Amino acid sequence: MDQPSGRSFMQVLCEKYSPENFPYRRGPGMGVHVPATPQGSPMKDRLNLPSVLVLNSCGITCAGDEKEIAAFCAHVSELDLSDNKLEDWHEVSKIVSNVPQLEFLNLSSNPLNLSVLERTCAGSFSGVRKLVLNNSKASWETVHTILQELPDLEELFLCLNDYETVSCPSICCPSLKLLHITDNNLQDWTEIRKLGVMFPSLDTLVLANNHLNAIEEPDDSLARLFPNLRSISLHKSGLQSWEDIDKLNSFPKLEEVRLLGIPLLQPYTTEERRKLVVARLPSVSKLNGSVVTDGEREDSERFFIRYYVDVPQEDVPFRYHELITKYGKLEPLAEVDLRPQSSAKVQVHFNDQVEEMSIRLDQTVAELKKQLKTLVQLPPSNMLLYYFDHEAPFGPEEMKYSSRALHSFGIRDGDKIFVESKTK
């Protein structure tokens, strides 16, 4: 149901967290708080507010009474205002400036691109450590203003903002550790490298669902641009060359990589994709969310050697030579077909006759008797069958049970079936 337009933050707060909708609860982690001061608010003693406020999709367009916000939200540390109708940064500032303990703020899917963020407004965000601006279409000018006024910002989410380029400010943001910038239109590495300039302390960079087609940067320059990068996600990027994967080794602290859905890996099997990537990235301890164990790494590196053993020397990757130094040149593994045999050629003995025939091993003893009916001229009900394994030392085994499958006897080519008549 559509929310009415023109609702204030304070109006929605009072409605959602009234005792009727949000009764007082006890227990660890509930974070319920009833403000004791200031006096004079008719709602003051009736609201039970947690420290985490979720007010998404409520039709909020403005702040409302700032004194009321200050009275009720002094303890609030996390605030989700996503998918509302806030289009004026001044109204956001009125809310945030009255929430002094705020560390997490989600403004996703608000039309804030319709107004300009002034530095005085951005200053009210100064304590925020995690800021979410997904699908807000926030301009880079807005982002720069925020970065100047948020000295402790550690995590920034800029997904779904239609960015095709990155605008680099005159000053960097050394506090930022995590940047989510997924689902944009960043294709050229020259744009991505600007993120390294802007955020020199970056630990985690999530670039999934962009169209990055190559990592075009000298190895030593990559190390300088992203000296602290520990995790990178390149899910559904446009990478098409193994050289791009090798470039990841230039990040000096990289431990975790996500690489699903890239064109480079499409022609390979699931096993080949993982093993070839693991073998090329010796310092990465987690790939696509799964830990790389020491055993898996050794298996992958040995697989890598065998994979390239017959490739012309000019096409062999440098990593191959490194691994040859580690393990030596390995022979290809013998191919063993572990599928169960579906048929066997056996000798059928009856009286003094010997007939070689092929029998299906997925059939039962009863079905074999029907197959032998014409050959031995006996009705199935009058047959006794004995199986003789030419390698077994124990002699023939009577095939007593009509419903038993032939493959359960372990019948192989060259074995013998003896047929006798019950009335013999």
Side-chain angles (χ1 to χ4, degrees), residues 162-215:
D162 298 334
Y163 297 139
E164 296 182 358
T165 61
V166 174
S167 173
C168 205
S170 56
I171 59 172
C172 66
C173 178
S175 62
L176 199 76
K177 299 292 192 298
L178 179 147
L179 176 64
H180 272 255
I181 193 164
T182 67
D183 297 277
N184 283 287
N185 300 308
L186 301 172
Q187 302 181 35
D188 198 319
W189 177 256
T190 57
E191 303 305 321
I192 306 303
R193 73 186 312 277
K194 297 174 187 176
L195 300 176
V197 175
M198 291 168 67
F199 308 116
S201 302
L202 204 59
D203 170 277
T204 301
L205 177 58
V206 186
L207 286 167
N209 297 327
N210 278 280
H211 307 287
L212 179 66
N213 47 41
I215 301 176

Side-chain angles (χ1 to χ4, degrees), residues 173-417:
C173 178
S175 62
L176 199 76
K177 299 292 192 298
L178 179 147
L179 176 64
H180 272 255
I181 193 164
T182 67
D183 297 277
N184 283 287
N185 300 308
L186 301 172
Q187 302 181 35
D188 198 319
W189 177 256
T190 57
E191 303 305 321
I192 306 303
R193 73 186 312 277
K194 297 174 187 176
L195 300 176
V197 175
M198 291 168 67
F199 308 116
S201 302
L202 204 59
D203 170 277
T204 301
L205 177 58
V206 186
L207 286 167
N209 297 327
N210 278 280
H211 307 287
L212 179 66
N213 47 41
I215 301 176
E216 299 168 331
E217 191 81 35
D219 294 350
D220 57 342
S221 179
L222 276 178
R224 290 195 303 272
L225 281 170
F226 295 95
N228 298 295
L229 193 66
R230 186 195 55 80
S231 174
I232 189 169
S233 173
L234 294 163
H235 274 343
K236 295 187 179 178
S237 61
L239 298 182
Q240 303 180 50
S241 168
W242 281 113
E243 285 71 21
D244 294 318
I245 307 304
D246 294 336
K247 288 280 187 183
L248 299 177
N249 289 310
S250 300
F251 298 121
K253 295 186 179 180
L254 194 66
E255 298 176 356
E256 181 176 357
V257 174
R258 293 178 179 267
L259 280 171
L260 293 176
I262 64 174
L264 168 66
L265 299 178
Q266 294 309 311
Y268 298 90
T269 66
T270 301
E271 179 189 28
E272 288 171 343
R273 290 171 192 169
R274 185 166 178 89
K275 286 186 172 180
L276 292 176
V277 172
V278 167
R280 283 181 181 264
L281 300 176
S283 298
V284 170
S285 57
K286 187 179 284 189
L287 177 64
N288 297 328
S290 298
V291 172
V292 179
T293 64
D294 292 341
E296 182 188 13
R297 184 172 305 285
E298 181 173 343
D299 287 346
S300 298
E301 290 175 346
R302 289 179 177 274
F303 176 90
F304 189 91
I305 291 174
R306 293 188 171 101
Y307 189 87
Y308 286 102
V309 71
D310 294 324
V311 172
Q313 278 296 110
E314 61 271 17
D315 297 328
V316 171
F318 179 73
R319 182 64 176 153
Y320 174 83
H321 301 293
E322 291 181 332
L323 293 176
I324 288 292
T325 302
K326 183 175 180 179
Y327 296 104
K329 195 167 184 178
L330 305 177
E331 295 298 324
L333 293 174
E335 291 189 13
V336 179
D337 189 353
L338 298 178
R339 291 174 298 178
Q341 196 172 337
S342 61
S343 64
K345 288 185 178 180
V346 298
Q347 291 180 357
V348 178
H349 293 250
F350 177 67
N351 293 336
D352 295 327
Q353 302 175 38
V354 179
E355 191 79 29
E356 188 174 271
M357 63 184 298
S358 179
I359 60 173
R360 287 185 6 257
L361 300 181
D362 61 347
Q363 63 182 334
T364 63
V365 171
E367 291 169 329
L368 175 61
K369 287 181 177 181
K370 291 179 182 179
Q371 184 180 352
L372 296 173
K373 176 181 176 181
T374 304
L375 176 66
V376 301
Q377 294 297 305
L378 284 175
S381 60
N382 200 27
M383 287 185 201
L384 292 174
L385 300 186
Y386 298 87
Y387 161 61
F388 180 73
D389 180 350
H390 65 284
E391 294 183 358
F394 307 113
E397 175 185 357
E398 184 176 355
M399 304 171 80
K400 292 182 182 180
Y401 305 105
S402 297
S403 60
R404 184 175 173 181
L406 298 187
H407 63 72
S408 68
F409 291 92
I411 299 174
R412 292 165 294 176
D413 292 340
D415 289 348
K416 300 174 182 178
I417 304 287

